[in-house]
Amino acid sequence: MPSELSPTARALRALEVLQARPGTTAGQLAEWLGVTERAARRYVGILREAGIQVESTRGPHGGYRLRRGTRLPPVVFTQAEALGLVMAVLDGQPAATEADDPVGTALGKVVQALPENVGRQAAALREHAKAAPDRHAARPDPAITGALVAAVAARRRVLITYRGETGSAWKSEVDPWAVVVRHGRWYLLCRSHRVDAIRTYRVDRVRTVGQTAHEFEPPDDLDPVAALEENLGTGWEFPTEVVFDAPLTEVAPWIRPPMGRLQPLGDGCVLIGSTSNPAMYAQEWLATVPFAFRVQGGEELKAAVAEVAARFAAALAPIS
């Protein structure tokens, strides 16, 4: 923390720490503030003098915490925090620069509430910075997302209605393990009781969410991001199997997790997975891999690759 901060600024920083980390000890608070433990206790005293109810508990599990129901002063941002917030919003929601965008409206309220010396640059950044829309991004309904996150937190099984990319819809009871954001898309990582397997569903394609009376326990060693990456290429409508005439170590950097799992095969390797969109798989994924390959499985993928090959061959045909 900068040494030039005033006692008031340090006291507000102490309040932020206690809000975010209930049970913080005097030593931990001192470390966060960059002061001695005695000074940290003094800043806690300043908060108490201001009417903020800070409780302290002794013992190995003790520390400072705010009493439940304590009314807090307005949130205070540093300039770096305010600029970082605006940048993160624009990065994830390019439309936030528009006045009628709900996220933009919320961001505007935050910026307007900032002190002049902090809010000036944040307002200028929001007004003058431009963000290119991510054509691959798909933002889900906030109510649907909130319902799924609540089910994840409560460890409560839900009944969802889901509409696939082809327009087909189905209902399934799922154990929602996690909601994961990946490259502008929101995914539900879950165990589907409909197929008795791990599945990854796009949250923007979930139409309804209803809680059930059943509880569940997620795997103890669950790494949501790693599990999502591993399962993105499985469980889709059309199977795929592609053999590469190159070692796995050379091909692996070119393979995205949704394409499937890459396994060694003799002197080369084989990619086994599935897709709901063979044309996209052939045009946007396989076409970028700079190694010789052959489609060994998946009639739909074979047809999609043949169509891409014919189109490129036609582009090189002499003009008659």
Side-chain angles (χ1 to χ4, degrees), residues 67-234:
R67 181 178 298 176
R68 186 179 298 276
T70 299
R71 296 185 63 182
L72 300 176
V75 177
V76 178
F77 293 106
T78 66
Q79 189 169 87
E81 290 169 341
L83 293 176
L85 176 62
V86 175
M87 292 169 67
V89 171
L90 294 182
D91 184 50
Q93 179 86 348
T97 55
E98 302 173 7
D100 58 348
D101 179 77
V103 176
T105 301
L107 180 62
K109 292 178 180 179
V110 172
V111 171
Q112 189 173 9
L114 294 173
E116 174 65 21
N117 62 329
V118 174
R120 188 185 307 110
Q121 284 196 21
L125 176 61
R126 182 188 179 224
E127 180 180 356
H128 298 290
K130 303 299 178 185
D134 182 354
R135 64 187 182 92
H136 297 294
R139 293 177 180 84
D141 182 294
I144 293 289
T145 308
L148 290 174
V149 170
V152 170
R155 299 186 173 183
R156 181 81 57 156
R157 185 181 302 173
V158 293
L159 175 65
I160 65 170
T161 303
Y162 190 81
R163 185 175 298 278
E165 188 173 1
T166 60
S168 59
W170 65 86
K171 291 186 177 182
S172 177
E173 283 195 358
V174 303
D175 295 341
W177 290 353
V179 172
V180 182
V181 185
R182 181 183 183 276
H183 301 324
R185 290 183 176 177
W186 294 65
Y187 293 92
L188 172 66
L189 176 68
C190 63
R191 170 165 287 280
S192 169
H193 292 273
R194 176 172 173 263
V195 294
D196 191 26
I198 300 173
R199 287 291 182 262
T200 53
Y201 294 130
R202 291 249 309 257
V203 178
D204 60 295
R205 293 178 181 162
V206 177
R207 294 295 178 259
T208 62
V209 179
Q211 285 202 10
T212 72
H214 302 287
E215 297 181 346
F216 69 90
E217 286 293 329
D220 292 334
D221 57 349
L222 177 66
D223 182 335
V225 175
L228 177 79
E229 295 281 0
E230 183 178 353
N231 287 278
L232 274 175
T234 62

Side-chain angles (χ1 to χ4, degrees), residues 21-26 28 55-66:
R21 300 174 180 81
T24 297
T25 65
Q28 293 169 334
E55 298 178 332
S56 59
T57 306
R58 296 183 180 276
H61 302 292
Y64 294 115
R65 65 183 68 245
L66 301 180

